[in-house]
């Protein structure tokens, strides 16, 4: 808090996982089965599943940006995550945002995120989980690609407590656009609506309901977006084009 004065906030996050996987590989604690025997068709290198995973981010928020209702932020992030024997995903990037509170507890933000993302997985993974089975499209998904959306988010908070609400409601609308103009390889439009309602039941209980709906559509220009020059057949979405920011 108050990073270099001016009420700035610095948020630093770092997590590590999959520690000692190489040492425990093939042992009773590690499950006896050696990854080398079952994963070479996924990454070509079984050691990929034995290396540490991580999720790191560094964000700076500046309040009172030209007005007490405004704030701005910049950040960088990097991650490596996996599902054992299934996939390995890596990414790194940066983001910048501007937020204005247009009414009491109604902030509206516009943000730009640039990310380099790569996924290592077997062809079966893409075919079963994402319905992408042709080899050209799978090759494009495996390449390191740019995911660079502009995101507009509006929040409405009418809950009586930010940590343990007992009554009221919250809602969020998020719009995303990624195209050649934003520098994105995979291009799409998406809309997400999220809402929650809280009602007290007696003196010690709360009844809550939460729902989330969304729509996403790939742009046809995605077919020319791969760094290897592969002409992908049909409009495709990257597995990460789902509206979820990993650093949230």
């Amino acid at each position: 808090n108050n990073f270099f004065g001016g009420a700035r906030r610095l948020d630093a996050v770092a997590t590590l996982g999959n520690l000692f996987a190489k040492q425990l590989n093939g042992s009773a604690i590690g499950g006896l089965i050696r990854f080398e025997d079952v994963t070479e068709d996924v990454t070509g290198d079984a050691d990929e599943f034995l290396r540490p995973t991580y999720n790191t981010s560094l964000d700076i928020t500046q309040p009172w940006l030209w007005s007490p209702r405004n704030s701005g932020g910049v950040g960088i992030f990097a991650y490596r995550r996996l599902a054992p024997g299934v996939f390995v995903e890596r990414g790194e990037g940066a983001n910048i945002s501007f937020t204005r509170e247009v009414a009491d507890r109604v902030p509206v933000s516009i943000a730009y995120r640039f990310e380099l993302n790569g996924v290592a997985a077997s062809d079966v993974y893409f075919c079963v989980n994402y319905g992408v089975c042709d080899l050209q499209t799978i090759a494009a998904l495996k390449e390191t690609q740019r995911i660079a959306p502009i995101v507009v988010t509006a929040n409405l908070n009418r809950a009586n407590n930010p940590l343990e609400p007992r009554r009221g409601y919250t809602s969020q609308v998020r719009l995303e656009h990624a195209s050649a103009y934003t520098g994105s390889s995979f291009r799409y439009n998406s809309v997400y609506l999220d809402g929650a309602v809280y009602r007290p039941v007696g003196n010690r209980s709360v009844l809550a309901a939460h729902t989330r709906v969304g729509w996403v559509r790939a742009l046809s220009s995605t077919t020319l977006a791969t760094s290897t020059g592969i002409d992908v057949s049909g409009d495709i979405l990257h597995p990460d084009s789902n509206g979820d920011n990993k650093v949230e």
Side-chain angles (χ1 to χ4, degrees), residues 18 42 55 62 64-65 81 102 108 139 152 174 179 182 203 209 212 240 244 248:
N18 211 40
V42 177
N55 184 14
Q62 173 63 63
W64 287 63
L65 189 63
R81 60 187 184 183
V102 298
V108 177
V152 178
R174 182 167 63 198
S179 67
T182 65
N203 295 326
R212 184 186 188 195
D240 245 18
D244 291 324
E248 285 183 344

Side-chain angles (χ1 to χ4, degrees), residues 48-64:
E48 284 287 320
F49 290 102
L50 303 177
R51 295 173 185 140
T53 59
Y54 55 84
N55 184 14
T56 62
S57 64
L58 190 68
D59 295 278
I60 298 177
T61 302
Q62 173 63 63
W64 287 63

Side-chain angles (χ1 to χ4, degrees), residues 44-199:
D45 181 5
D47 283 346
E48 284 287 320
F49 290 102
L50 303 177
R51 295 173 185 140
T53 59
Y54 55 84
N55 184 14
T56 62
S57 64
L58 190 68
D59 295 278
I60 298 177
T61 302
Q62 173 63 63
W64 287 63
L65 189 63
W66 305 307
S67 167
R69 289 183 172 270
N70 298 342
S71 63
V74 295
I76 56 176
F77 60 90
Y79 61 90
R80 183 181 188 272
R81 60 187 184 183
L82 60 83
V86 181
F87 72 86
V88 179
E89 183 180 13
R90 305 179 191 82
E92 58 271 336
N95 56 74
I96 184 171
S97 64
F98 174 79
T99 302
R100 180 173 177 82
E101 190 169 3
V102 298
D104 181 39
R105 292 194 293 174
V106 186
V108 177
S109 302
I110 182 169
Y112 175 71
R113 184 178 82 251
F114 183 90
E115 176 183 341
L116 294 176
N117 177 283
V119 180
S122 67
D123 295 351
V124 175
Y125 168 78
F126 292 104
C127 189
V128 172
N129 290 277
Y130 297 103
V132 176
C133 300
D134 66 279
L135 297 180
Q136 287 183 321
T137 305
I138 290 174
L141 290 171
K142 288 183 176 180
E143 288 294 318
T144 299
Q145 302 290 355
R146 301 185 307 275
I147 303 177
I150 291 178
V151 185
V152 178
T153 306
N155 292 277
L156 175 62
N157 188 339
R158 291 296 180 262
N160 68 329
N161 188 306
L163 299 179
E164 298 181 354
R166 289 185 51 82
R167 66 173 65 251
Y169 60 91
T170 63
S171 61
Q172 182 188 85
V173 179
R174 182 167 63 198
L175 311 175
E176 287 196 26
H177 170 76
S179 67
Y181 298 105
T182 65
S184 189
S185 297
F186 283 81
R187 300 156 187 178
Y188 62 93
N189 291 317
S190 70
V191 180
Y192 283 88
L193 306 175
D194 190 290
V197 178
Y198 307 92
R199 292 290 182 270

